Amino acid sequence: EVQLVETGGGLVQPGRSLKLSCVASGFTFSSYWMYWIRQAPGKGLEWVSSINTDGGSTYYPDSVKGRFTISRDNAENTVYLQMNSLRSEDTATYYCVTNFDYWGQGVMVTVSS
Amino acid sequence: DIQMTQSPSSMSASLGDRVTISCQASQDIGNNLIWFQQKPGKSPRPMIYYATNLANGVPSRFSGSRSGSDYSLTISSLESEDMADYHCLQYKQYPLTFGSGTKLEI
């Protein structure tokens, strides 16, 4: 059974940093691209980042480029999202996703003073 | 960037109704579109891949179609369990973009 378990969310002040982790199991992690997708409260879905199988290629929308960094550790079956210079508009549930088939349960990030 | 214009933003329908939700792409995306269903408090679930292909385990009352730059998700006979939000996603090019979502109420 495929499982994606996100951790690391919480309440953080504007301008501070937070690092999300997503541990994968039930599939060959190193063979799949991974994605982070977020959803602000009561809003739609927004793609946040992508990473290829070996971590050598990453992609971001302009809204987070330069502030967020996606990375992966294939030995640990884990994908990360380092979020710096957080803003109130980054408040959302963050989902770890593989191939768009499987989604984690989501982790809430709240940016507020 | 490719804009995905999704309509309607919300709708109310009755059990047994035929329901159609649409997404219009601002540029050519081929069939590189996925439809997701999201129930309250849950993660999204893929329903239709590559614009027209039913995902595993999805009831046959769901279908996807394309006409030019217009993509549709149709539920042929609405059931109570279909109450949810529906989202489209284009993955033709970066940035990946979602439609704004449709809330389906019954």
Side-chain angles (χ1 to χ4, degrees), chain B residues 8-66:
Chain B
S9 56
S10 65
M11 66 180 300
S12 182
S14 300
L15 298 179
D17 281 356
R18 182 181 181 88
V19 168
T20 298
I21 297 167
S22 299
C23 274
Q24 183 178 62
S26 62
Q27 301 175 34
D28 175 53
I29 62 169
N31 278 356
N32 296 293
L33 181 125
I34 302 174
W35 287 100
F36 295 93
Q37 176 192 69
Q38 185 179 25
K39 295 187 176 180
K42 299 295 187 181
S43 303
R45 169 196 180 189
M47 304 296 281
I48 301 286
Y49 287 101
Y50 208 57
T52 61
N53 297 332
L54 206 62
N56 286 341
V58 174
S60 59
R61 63 181 180 276
F62 287 87
S63 63
S65 63
R66 172 192 176 188

Side-chain angles (χ1 to χ4, degrees), chain A residues 32-37 46-53 56-65 70 72 97-100, chain B residues 1-4 26-29 32 89-98:
Chain A
Y32 288 87
W33 285 58
M34 297 297 296
Y35 305 84
W36 287 97
I37 292 169
E46 181 187 15
W47 165 71
V48 172
S49 61
S50 304
I51 188 166
N52 73 339
T53 54
S57 296
T58 57
Y59 303 85
Y60 308 91
D62 288 345
S63 58
V64 308
K65 194 175 295 182
I70 189 172
R72 67 191 295 161
V97 182
T98 180
N99 231 31
F100 301 111
Chain B
D1 297 2
I2 297 175
Q3 308 302 319
M4 300 301 297
S26 62
Q27 301 175 34
D28 175 53
I29 62 169
N32 296 293
L89 165 69
Q90 73 77 20
Y91 58 95
K92 172 68 173 178
Q93 70 180 55
Y94 285 107
L96 308 183
T97 45
F98 287 89

Side-chain angles (χ1 to χ4, degrees), chain A residues 5-93:
Chain A
V5 180
E6 303 103 332
T7 57
L11 174 64
V12 61
Q13 293 179 326
R16 303 299 290 265
S17 298
L18 206 60
K19 186 172 185 176
L20 305 182
S21 301
C22 170
V23 177
S25 60
F27 65 102
T28 306
F29 178 76
S30 59
S31 296
Y32 288 87
W33 285 58
M34 297 297 296
Y35 305 84
W36 287 97
I37 292 169
R38 69 184 179 185
Q39 187 171 35
K43 302 296 185 181
L45 299 167
E46 181 187 15
W47 165 71
V48 172
S49 61
S50 304
I51 188 166
N52 73 339
T53 54
D54 66 7
S57 296
T58 57
Y59 303 85
Y60 308 91
D62 288 345
S63 58
V64 308
K65 194 175 295 182
R67 300 188 299 123
F68 288 13
T69 302
I70 189 172
S71 61
R72 67 191 295 161
D73 183 339
N74 285 344
E76 297 292 330
N77 286 356
T78 302
V79 61
Y80 304 97
L81 185 68
Q82 175 69 47
M83 303 184 293
N84 299 331
S85 303
L86 282 161
R87 306 167 180 168
S88 58
E89 55 263 38
D90 297 319
T91 293
T93 295

